[in-house]
Amino acid sequence: MMKAPVGGAKHQLLPSCSILALLAAFALPTQVQAQVATPPLTRAGTTISNTASATFDTGGGSTTINSNQVDLLVDELLDVTVDSSNPADVPTTPGATGQVLTFSVTNTGNGVENFALSTIANAGGDNYDPVVTQIYIDNGDGIFDPNTDTLYTPGANDPELDPDESVTIFVVATTPGAVVDGNRGIVSLIAAAVTGTGAPGTSFAGQGEGGGDAVVGSTGADGTDAGAFIVSAATVTLVKSAVVTNPLGTADPIPGATITYTIVATVAGSGAVSGLAITDNVPADTSYLAGSITLGGVAQSDGVDADAGDYNGTRINVALGTVAGGQTRTVTFRTTIN
């Protein structure tokens, strides 16, 4: 005889979690949120017209009448944004001139507007103050060239921008000579609507494009953004040592002894030095040992040729070229004591 289930009740098979989830998916309506494009701002000076109508029947048939027309002149909204176009801090060196930061100025208002440009280089939060020398308006190619870009003169050629139009601005600065490797200098560019700035909602009667008012937007009608220079400098230290050997097998500097000079140039910092060369005069009372110049352990010829070293009869010279920070160069040469 089959036994009854425990408790006397029949067990029912429950649906699995995956089946429940599937049922829930079919049971709940799927909501798809449509992407609605933001329409462009209505141009300042545009007239918005509207007329109402009414239709009625007095017993003699349907009649339609119109109201008076209401016209509204769209005011000019004064808004602007400024964005740094430098993906990272711009490298510079102590005393460097003609250092460039790049910015983009965009008219985010709804009317044509001129924008006055200015800079701040001493706001703090950095290690030094770059010295701003010029501001240039790009000719449209996005590449700084003082020969083809326009030098900005405040009040004389404030850039005029249509709605949504952008212009590239170059800020040119000099790096003080006293800065050191790793120092950072910040410059901010400010663009302000020539018509006026102020708290959002501030209105300038009759000064908008098309004869309406000009109204300050959410940006205050002035925008700002900062760019930064980073000092990438290098320093060179030179250490010279000498080892003496003689025919007697001692280290005494006696006549006939050989002196091996070792010169180590160390470049430190995040930058690089160019045109680095090591020169050493052969000491008096000694004679240069021909063919003894080495660079990094590699023999150098005495003539001026393809390798880095040479000897001109009084001194040795080794041209090292460009050397980046964190690297060393070792030069050796030998003389004999007369």
Side-chain angles (χ1 to χ4, degrees):
M1 176 183 289
M2 182 178 295
K3 294 184 179 180
V6 177
K10 293 183 179 179
H11 288 282
Q12 296 181 347
L13 181 63
L14 297 177
S16 67
C17 293
S18 60
I19 296 176
L20 286 174
L22 184 61
L23 291 174
F26 279 103
L28 296 176
T30 302
Q31 295 181 350
V32 179
Q33 186 174 1
Q35 298 294 324
V36 179
T38 302
L41 300 179
T42 302
R43 185 68 179 250
T46 300
T47 298
I48 297 177
S49 300
N50 180 262
T51 302
S53 64
T55 301
F56 56 92
D57 190 340
T58 60
S62 179
T63 302
T64 300
I65 63 171
N66 294 324
S67 71
N68 58 296
Q69 179 173 297
V70 175
D71 294 328
L72 292 175
L73 183 66
V74 176
D75 289 336
E76 180 180 349
L77 191 64
L78 302 173
D79 267 327
V80 61
T81 59
V82 177
D83 295 294
S84 171
S85 301
N86 303 113
D89 291 352
V90 176
T92 186
T93 55
T97 60
Q99 305 299 285
V100 179
L101 292 175
T102 306
F103 296 86
S104 176
V105 175
T106 303
N107 178 5
T108 52
N110 66 333
V112 63
E113 183 66 29
N114 293 88
F115 294 94
L117 307 176
S118 60
T119 60
I120 298 175
N122 58 354
D126 54 9
N127 306 110
Y128 74 94
D129 297 334
V131 180
V132 175
T133 54
Q134 294 102 14
I135 298 175
Y136 281 86
I137 303 170
D138 181 39
N139 63 1
D141 63 4
I143 301 171
F144 176 62
D145 184 346
N147 297 314
T148 58
D149 295 326
T150 302
L151 179 64
Y152 173 65
T153 302
N157 59 345
D158 299 323
E160 182 181 89
L161 301 177
D162 284 328
D164 295 323
E165 184 181 7
S166 299
V167 65
T168 298
I169 302 297
F170 302 110
V171 175
V172 184
T174 295
T175 303
V179 299
V180 297
D181 186 53
N183 278 181
R184 193 167 183 262
I186 297 174
V187 177
S188 295
L189 176 69
I190 302 168
V194 170
T195 298
T197 62
T202 301
S203 181
F204 302 93
Q207 295 188 43
E209 179 184 7
D213 297 341
V215 181
V216 174
S218 60
T219 64
D222 58 358
T224 182
D225 199 12
F229 296 107
I230 185 75
V231 177
S232 180
T235 58
V236 180
T237 57
L238 209 59
V239 176
K240 182 178 179 180
S241 59
V243 174
V244 178
T245 59
N246 63 41
L248 303 179
T250 70
D252 298 308
I254 60 176
T258 298
I259 307 171
T260 301
Y261 292 103
T262 300
I263 307 164
V264 179
T266 301
V267 181
S270 62
V273 295
S274 59
L276 180 60
I278 293 177
T279 301
D280 198 352
N281 293 321
V282 173
D285 300 318
T286 70
S287 299
Y288 171 71
L289 186 60
S292 65
I293 303 172
T294 70
L295 170 59
V298 178
Q300 307 289 300
S301 63
D302 291 338
V304 178
D305 48 29
D307 66 29
D310 73 87
Y311 172 66
N312 71 353
T314 61
R315 59 97 183 108
I316 66 99
N317 179 76
V318 180
L320 303 177
T322 299
V323 181
Q327 298 186 16
T328 62
R329 298 289 186 270
T330 301
V331 171
T332 68
F333 70 98
R334 290 179 288 168
T335 67
T336 57
I337 299 176
N338 298 334

